[in-house]
Each structure stands twice: as structure tokens, then as C-alpha cells.
Amino acid sequence: MKRKFLLAVVMGILLFLNGNELKHIAAADRSSTIERYVGEIRLFPYRDFRMMEDGWEELNGLQKVQQFNPDLYSVIGTTFGGDDFSYFLPDLRGANPLPNINYMISMKGSLPGSADIQSYAGMMLYPGKLNNEFTEANGDGNTPDLRNASPLPGIKYFYTDDQNDSNVYIGEIRLFKKEDMKDTKGWLRCDGAELKIEEHIALYSLIGDRFGGRKGQYMNIPNLIDAEPSADVSYYISINGKFPGDK
């Protein structure tokens, strides 16, 4: 009897928490202009409540109710734990390449195979299978070998050489193959460079001087050179794109 009661309490808590999640997903369906796949994992150097409103959630291993997000469940299943009723998000706390930089997962979006993402630049982290426009970054052909760079088993890097990306947030960080970035605008290598705040006001409003600054006039972007997983790829930060919460 006591065990059944405790189970009922736990499930009640899960239903309550996931009910709040549904509100955020519904709001994201109304407001987001960022095209992406459900389950897509991206890297952000800031925490902003508007990201949750846009359908993103930090990867801290939370348990979720399957029936509230069957699309995401169909992508990750019980790879990171769970059963027929619930599943767990991957826990990437401690896997971030630098403090103040966090992995987030899209709780909404298109299912691979149901729609193609029209443009995506760089490497995509994904906990499932993707369509033909993406190739697993395993060293075959012209792809970099990032099989050992994944932050967690069950998550893989996928490669595309399309650099025309309209589906990016300002301040978002991605891995790119270096030779693809020779003539690309809108991205800067994460090398700790100093930027004038007045020229990057939107970016500064998100990351401030948490990666360094000077005299209230200059800000630094993250330095991820030591975190680069291989010699042919680098982390880049977007200095353009959608501001969290904008429609």
C-alpha cells in the first residue's frame, strides 16, 4: 500500500511538471520562427527564460511523461532511461566545454523524415537518426571524425556543408569544419576575441562580460580553442540571428 501511494505521488509530480512543459511547447508552436528538428541539441553561452518559451530545455536528466511529448519520445525512446510511460532526457551537466555554456534540447520541431530543414550550418548534435541531407561525422568522405567527441553515448554529430543558415539564434555556438568557414560571415571562432560592445549590443545583452570585458566598452567571446575535439574543426559563435523570444 505504501509503495503504491509513493508511486502515485511521484507520478502526480511528473504530471504537474510535464503539464508546465506542455504550456511552453504550445507557446513555442505559436511564436518560434526557428526551424528545427525535435530532439535537436544546441549549445548556448547564456540562460534565458525566453529559450524555454521557444521550446528549449536544459539537459539535466529530467524524467518526462511520454504521452505529453510523443514526438520527442519517438526520437530518443528509453536511450537515457525510462519505460513505456516515461523517459529521461540526457544529462549533459558537466559535459559543457566551458562554464556558463549549456547544452539545450528542442522539445518541439519537425520529425526527421516528415520535413527537411531548409538550411543548417555546421555540425548538428542529435540523439537519433537524421535524413540524407546530414551525414554522420565519422571520418568517411569529407566528414570530420567526431565519433569520440560526443558528450554522451547515444548522441552523435552529423555534418552538412550548407553554410546558409537562417535557423540560428544570436550567441549560439556550433562546431564547424574549418575549411568550410573561410568566407562565411556572421560567425566568429570562439578564441576569446575582444569585441566592441556598441557593435554587438544584442550579443552583449545575452552574455554580458561573463567571458571577460574591459572598461565597460569591450566584451570577450568564449575561448574554446582547448576544447576543440580535432584539428579540422572549431567552435564558432553566431553574432547574428534570432534573439530569444522574438517572433
Side-chain angles (χ1 to χ4, degrees):
M1 179 66 71
K2 184 176 180 181
R3 184 178 179 181
K4 290 182 178 179
F5 173 76
L6 291 174
L7 180 60
V9 170
V10 170
M11 298 315 299
I13 293 173
L14 282 174
L15 288 169
F16 172 77
L17 293 175
N18 283 267
N20 288 335
E21 175 188 317
L22 280 179
K23 295 177 183 178
H24 291 304
I25 293 175
D29 286 335
R30 294 192 299 268
S31 66
S32 178
T33 56
I34 291 288
E35 188 180 41
R36 76 262 194 171
Y37 290 122
V38 62
E40 191 176 320
I41 296 171
R42 300 193 188 185
L43 198 57
F44 297 93
Y46 51 83
R47 285 186 172 97
D48 193 289
F49 72 93
R50 289 165 291 195
M51 294 301 295
M52 180 171 285
E53 292 180 348
D54 211 11
W56 295 86
E57 186 166 332
E58 287 190 37
L59 287 169
N60 52 14
L62 283 182
Q63 188 175 11
K64 299 292 181 180
V65 176
Q66 183 266 129
Q67 70 183 52
F68 284 169
N69 198 334
D71 285 350
L72 181 57
Y73 180 76
S74 72
V75 171
I76 66 176
T78 57
T79 302
F80 310 103
D83 50 38
D84 291 338
F85 179 80
S86 65
Y87 63 99
F88 288 84
L89 298 179
D91 190 346
L92 297 187
R93 291 173 294 182
N96 48 315
L98 199 69
N100 295 318
I101 297 178
N102 305 288
Y103 290 103
M104 301 189 78
I105 188 168
S106 178
M107 305 298 289
K108 59 152 285 180
S110 302
L111 280 169
S114 66
D116 290 338
I117 301 301
Q118 296 302 310
S119 64
Y120 187 94
M123 311 293 167
M124 180 186 288
L125 265 179
Y126 202 70
K129 296 180 179 180
L130 286 175
N131 297 340
N132 292 331
E133 72 268 26
F134 293 91
T135 305
E136 184 180 344
N138 57 11
D140 291 343
N142 66 337
T143 71
D145 190 351
L146 298 179
R147 286 173 293 181
N148 296 323
S150 169
L152 194 70
I155 303 173
K156 297 179 180 180
Y157 276 105
F158 292 85
Y159 171 74
T160 174
D161 57 6
D162 181 4
Q163 305 307 315
N164 299 314
D165 193 358
S166 59
N167 297 304
V168 62
Y169 291 91
I170 188 168
E172 185 179 335
I173 294 173
R174 295 184 189 173
L175 273 176
F176 284 87
K177 193 175 178 180
K178 289 179 182 177
E179 67 179 52
D180 291 339
M181 300 300 287
K182 294 177 181 178
D183 301 312
T184 302
K185 298 179 180 180
W187 296 86
L188 295 176
R189 187 183 181 193
C190 290
D191 58 1
E194 190 175 73
L195 306 179
K196 285 186 177 181
I197 294 174
E198 65 180 14
E199 296 176 358
H200 302 278
I201 294 174
L203 180 61
Y204 180 73
S205 72
L206 291 169
I207 70 173
D209 57 3
R210 61 172 56 94
F211 302 105
R214 184 166 60 91
K215 298 181 179 180
Q217 299 179 34
Y218 298 90
M219 58 181 285
N220 292 84
I221 57 177
N223 188 343
L224 297 179
I225 291 178
D226 291 340
E228 293 174 355
S230 69
D232 54 348
V233 299
S234 290
Y235 285 103
Y236 289 78
I237 186 170
S238 172
I239 57 174
N240 298 320
K242 179 189 174 186
F243 195 88
D246 284 356
K247 296 182 180 180

